Amino acid sequence: METPICSKEFEDFLWGVLIERKLDECVNDPDGILASKLSGIIDQRRLRFAEDRRFIMDFRLEFTEDNCMNLQIASMPIAQNEFLAMQAARVMAMEDETLGA
C-alpha cells in the first residue's frame, strides 16, 4: 500500500472543497469561530501524530442540550489516490440520487 501522505497544498484544497463546504451546510458561522477551532484541532493532530497521516473521511457536529457542540471525526490512513477515488464515488452516488429523484 502507498504511504498515506498528501501535500500541504492538497490539504488546503481539501479543506476548502470538503470541510468548509460541510461546515457551511451544518452551522451558521459568520465569524469563522468553529472553522478556526476545527483547523486548530487538525493542526494539533498533525503535530502530535505527524507519522500517522490520515484523511478525514467524515465528521459530525451535534449540539448538546447544554448548548455545547460535540464533534466526532472519522479518519483513515489511506493513500491519496484511494481517498480521491472514494470521494469521487460519493459525489457520483449523490448525483445519481439527485438525478433519480
Side-chain angles (χ1 to χ4, degrees):
M1 183 170 84
E2 179 182 327
T3 304
I5 294 176
C6 68
S7 68
K8 175 73 171 119
E9 293 81 16
F10 188 69
E11 288 177 354
D12 291 344
F13 168 76
L14 291 177
W15 173 269
V17 171
L18 299 176
I19 297 176
E20 277 187 336
R21 184 170 290 164
K22 188 162 184 179
L23 280 174
D24 289 345
E25 293 171 5
C26 293
V27 66
N28 183 12
D29 186 25
D31 297 325
I33 295 168
L34 181 59
S36 177
K37 185 70 171 173
L38 184 57
S39 179
I41 290 169
I42 292 169
D43 289 342
Q44 285 178 16
R45 194 209 181 283
R46 280 185 191 134
L47 288 173
R48 289 185 181 171
F49 305 102
E51 73 287 346
D52 182 15
R53 303 294 297 207
R54 293 171 181 260
F55 283 95
I56 294 175
M57 304 306 292
D58 199 10
F59 68 93
R60 182 184 314 199
L61 298 167
E62 296 176 335
F63 287 98
T64 61
E65 291 178 10
D66 55 351
N67 205 27
C68 290
M69 193 172 295
N70 180 26
L71 171 64
Q72 298 175 0
I73 298 174
S75 63
M76 288 180 65
I78 63 173
Q80 181 173 312
N81 61 343
E82 291 176 83
F83 177 79
L84 289 173
M86 290 175 77
Q87 293 305 313
R90 278 185 179 178
V91 169
M92 291 178 71
M94 288 188 314
E95 287 177 356
D96 287 348
E97 200 174 287
T98 301
L99 293 174

